[in-house]
Amino acid sequence: ESDTASELSFQLGRHKKSPSTGSHSSDMASVSSVSGSVLSVYSGDFGSVDAQGTVEFALDYDEKNREFQVHVSQCRGLAVVDERKGRSDPYVKTYLLPDKARMGKRKTSVKKRTVNPVYNEVLRYKIEKMVLLIQKLNLSVWHNDPLGRNSFLGEIEIDLASWDWSNRKLNWYPLKPRSLSAVNGVDHRGVMSLSIKYVPPGSLGEWPRNPPSGEVHIWVKDVKDLLQLRPSGVDSFVKCYVLPDTSKKSYQKTRVIKRDTNPVFNHTIVYDGFHTEDLKDACVELTVWDHEKLTNHFLGGIRLGLGTGLSYGISVDWMDSTQEEVAFWQEMMLAANEWIEGLLPLRSL
């Protein structure tokens, strides 16, 4: 059985040109509306306005007082909640994740009747630096409703493990739609949009056999909502392996997209050397990385396979696909020569 694994000589080709995205945008819309309805169940103060505008803040750690400080300066261009009166009464709220209950929330004052509030307030957490570095900061903006039905106006999530602590300046950040992590503590790392296709050996019908061995096509479209590592965003790229093969032949990567937490890659990778039975034992691993001079920083990934824990009869820890990832792979196996579209959350691997 181990011989079979070594026979998986996935040769590589790469096509820069990608097919048209088809129903891609409507998929995105349906996913966001689904997550919206899920969120309103979890959270009593989830409003229905779209996130817009920006927030200006700075982060600092006071070594002497062992205190984490969030200097909230101001917001600009927030959504209007009360259309009739054309007003919002915004305030800013912060949590440290994943355990938001332990350190509690901090809030600024409420500014009445403005979509451009100025706060100039410092929100403080007494916390050891080592503990802080395994947290994420969730900063969100809300409209204050006298009846307690507060409306969500947007948020930003910062990974403090890779934050540049020498940067104490105020910086502007775009407010994003609600992510699940702030509500239920899920480790939110972003969502990858991609399509996959399996072309069985000889299925294209031309003589002698076209293709001579099966092919898996992976079209990496884009990633939404990557962690904000720097004020300018993140310089990201995607790596791909077909496991169990970790050789140079199996390794592919996209170009680096600079200063963007919503990078568009539009990059297609083709692996050949596949027989249909190999699809049960192989796993496509796609990982997203922040590109830095000295060392790349892992942002999240997905693994596409059957998630059985086994590859060619051998127990392996990487055959651990989630239910969503397994369903996506199975759909490809059942629909030869068809592009299958998916939106999959990135996770820590």
Side-chain angles (χ1 to χ4, degrees), residues 27 35 56 62 70 103 117 155 189 192 239 253 290 322:
D27 284 0
S35 61
E56 187 187 41
D62 180 343
V70 185
M103 293 302 296
E155 72 174 4
R189 291 170 170 268
M192 182 181 287
K239 281 186 199 178
K253 66 183 172 76
D290 173 49
T322 64

Side-chain angles (χ1 to χ4, degrees), residues 144-341:
N144 183 62
D145 181 86
L147 302 173
R149 294 173 63 174
N150 297 339
S151 297
F152 171 79
L153 299 177
E155 72 174 4
I156 176 81
E157 220 161 86
I158 302 279
D159 187 357
L160 298 175
S162 40
W163 183 253
D164 174 9
W165 292 97
S166 65
N167 165 41
R168 297 187 180 88
K169 291 205 251 355
L170 288 165
N171 285 287
W172 287 98
Y173 301 85
L175 289 167
K176 298 185 174 187
R178 196 81 165 125
S179 82
L180 279 161
S181 57
V183 180
N184 60 7
V186 170
D187 183 16
H188 180 81
R189 291 170 170 268
V191 181
M192 182 181 287
S193 169
L194 74 163
S195 287
I196 53 174
K197 174 169 72 171
Y198 178 58
V199 182
S203 63
L204 302 183
E206 295 166 29
W207 189 86
R209 281 184 79 202
N210 184 20
S213 67
E215 296 176 347
V216 171
H217 297 234
I218 303 143
W219 171 18
V220 180
K221 296 177 187 176
D222 60 54
V223 180
K224 294 270 191 299
D225 269 353
L226 285 174
L227 291 169
Q228 182 101 22
L229 297 190
R230 294 178 284 282
S232 60
V234 62
D235 299 343
S236 64
F237 68 99
V238 178
K239 281 186 199 178
C240 184
Y241 282 101
V242 177
L243 305 172
D245 189 355
T246 55
S247 70
K248 272 195 175 162
K249 269 194 297 194
S250 171
Y251 175 62
Q252 280 284 320
K253 66 183 172 76
T254 68
R255 69 192 188 284
V256 176
I257 305 289
K258 295 206 164 175
R259 295 184 291 282
D260 198 342
T261 52
N262 299 297
V264 176
F265 296 102
N266 242 350
H267 184 106
T268 307
I269 300 162
V270 176
Y271 289 91
D272 66 12
F274 264 100
H275 299 283
T276 306
E277 58 272 20
D278 290 326
L279 297 176
K280 299 195 305 291
D281 294 289
C283 170
V284 170
E285 181 183 82
L286 292 158
T287 50
V288 187
W289 297 79
D290 173 49
H291 177 68
E292 291 199 52
K293 278 189 187 129
L294 297 175
T295 175
N296 295 321
H297 183 84
F298 174 74
L299 298 173
I302 58 175
R303 287 193 179 126
L304 306 175
L306 291 185
T308 57
L310 296 172
S311 174
Y312 300 101
I314 297 160
S315 178
V316 290
D317 57 4
W318 45 259
M319 199 53 122
D320 66 348
S321 299
T322 64
Q323 280 180 305
E324 284 174 281
E325 293 164 353
V326 170
F328 188 48
W329 190 249
Q330 284 174 327
E331 199 180 339
M332 179 200 74
M333 289 171 71
L334 292 169
N337 293 312
E338 278 182 43
W339 283 108
I340 308 298
E341 293 199 33

Side-chain angles (χ1 to χ4, degrees), residues 27-40:
D27 284 0
M28 287 299 291
S30 65
V31 164
S32 60
S33 63
V34 169
S35 61
S37 62
V38 170
L39 290 163
S40 53

